[in-house]
Amino acid sequence: TQLLEQSPQFLSIQEGENLTVYCNSSSVFSSLQWYRQEPGEGPVLLVTVVTGGEVKKLKRLTFQFGDARKDSSLHITAAQPGDTGLYLCAAIRSYNTDKLIFGTGTRLQVFP
Amino acid sequence: KAGVTQTPRYLIKTRGQQVTLSCSPISGHRSVSWYQQTPGQGLQFLFEYFSETQRNKGNFPGRFSGRQFSNSRSEMNVSTLELGDSALYLCASSQGQGATYEQYFGPGTRLTVT
């Protein structure tokens, strides 16, 4: 059983479309991170959210941490081919356990 | 500043053999974490080393071990390889201990067990 479930698993869209990726759990997390991984490379950190209800924007990407700190979403506006990749959410359950738990991943393909 | 480097990038081994993977962290980073990535299980934490000491461990069998040297470089060893060990092994370095510090991942070592 995966602690962090992401949906959808795969997403194939045209350039210019909007999309949302979800990261859900029944557990409460102290913080949550989003990564993007491109083929042949390791994941690269995009953002860290810590406070319930927190919203962060990174150009066309908007990240939200749920009020109860159990879920998160990533919204991309006007997707571009350069957004193609594997998107991973990762969470820290508590600062005592202090290790990252990764989500199941969402593979995004943006066609020109 | 050079990024995290991992060697080798690709490796093919036979069941029952053992393998050692190497990770050189970003200069000045003292923490190195190892992860296993497979299509079925996703990205899973193996262990973290900080100042040559293992400070955190995931749920993997004892066949998976690691160590860290005084220059912060780390090695991971897998003994008695099984087909299910085929995966991308990623290491990540950070300035401080624990997942609250930003982790910088290397490109990974692709291990294939036949």
Side-chain angles (χ1 to χ4, degrees):
Chain A
T1 304
Q2 285 284 357
L3 200 58
L4 276 173
E5 294 284 347
Q6 286 184 238
S7 60
Q9 196 174 351
F10 299 98
L11 200 49
S12 185
I13 61 173
Q14 292 293 130
E15 182 176 3
E17 292 185 31
N18 301 331
L19 67 114
T20 301
V21 176
Y22 299 93
C23 175
N24 295 300
S25 175
S26 57
S27 299
V28 176
F29 295 106
S30 55
S31 69
L32 191 138
Q33 302 174 351
W34 283 94
Y35 291 80
R36 180 171 66 215
Q37 184 177 18
E38 299 184 27
E41 298 180 12
V44 174
L45 179 65
L46 297 173
V47 77
T48 300
V49 285
V50 178
T51 307
E54 182 176 2
V55 177
K56 281 192 174 179
K57 293 193 174 185
L58 187 67
K59 296 182 182 178
R60 294 176 295 100
L61 278 60
T62 302
F63 306 86
Q64 183 163 9
F65 201 13
D67 290 340
R69 304 208 314 276
K70 293 182 178 182
D71 54 81
S72 180
S73 64
L74 156 60
H75 182 79
I76 301 179
T77 303
Q80 299 176 359
D83 295 326
T84 293
L86 178 67
Y87 287 82
L88 296 158
C89 63
I92 301 172
R93 192 184 294 179
S94 74
Y95 293 116
N96 288 335
T97 57
D98 203 16
K99 55 187 176 184
L100 277 179
I101 301 167
F102 279 84
T104 48
T106 294
R107 194 165 294 280
L108 172 65
Q109 178 82 51
V110 182
F111 291 97
Chain B
K1 203 183 244 189
V4 177
T5 57
Q6 292 187 245
T7 56
R9 291 293 309 275
Y10 301 92
L11 207 47
I12 300 175
K13 289 286 188 179
T14 306
R15 269 182 303 176
Q17 289 186 312
Q18 74 165 15
V19 67
T20 300
L21 312 181
S22 180
C23 173
S24 293
I26 291 172
S27 177
H29 284 192
R30 294 167 63 190
S31 170
V32 173
S33 297
W34 288 89
Y35 296 85
Q36 181 195 66
Q37 187 173 30
T38 60
Q41 296 299 316
L43 233 161
Q44 294 187 293
F45 172 79
L46 278 156
F47 28 66
E48 179 196 1
Y49 285 87
F50 182 82
S51 294
E52 302 179 64
T53 301
Q54 186 183 89
R55 67 172 298 276
N56 221 335
K57 192 176 188 309
N59 297 323
F60 279 82
R63 300 186 297 107
F64 292 82
S65 63
R67 58 177 175 168
Q68 187 180 33
F69 302 96
S70 58
N71 61 358
S72 293
R73 190 177 70 85
S74 177
E75 287 183 347
M76 190 193 95
N77 184 275
V78 188
S79 63
T80 319
L81 284 165
E82 301 177 0
L83 294 178
D85 296 333
S86 294
L88 180 67
Y89 289 89
L90 294 158
C91 84
S93 75
S94 63
Q95 289 182 313
Q97 56 182 331
T100 53
Y101 286 87
E102 180 173 352
Q103 301 200 36
Y104 296 82
F105 284 84
T109 294
R110 171 80 57 189
L111 171 65
T112 302
V113 182
T114 61

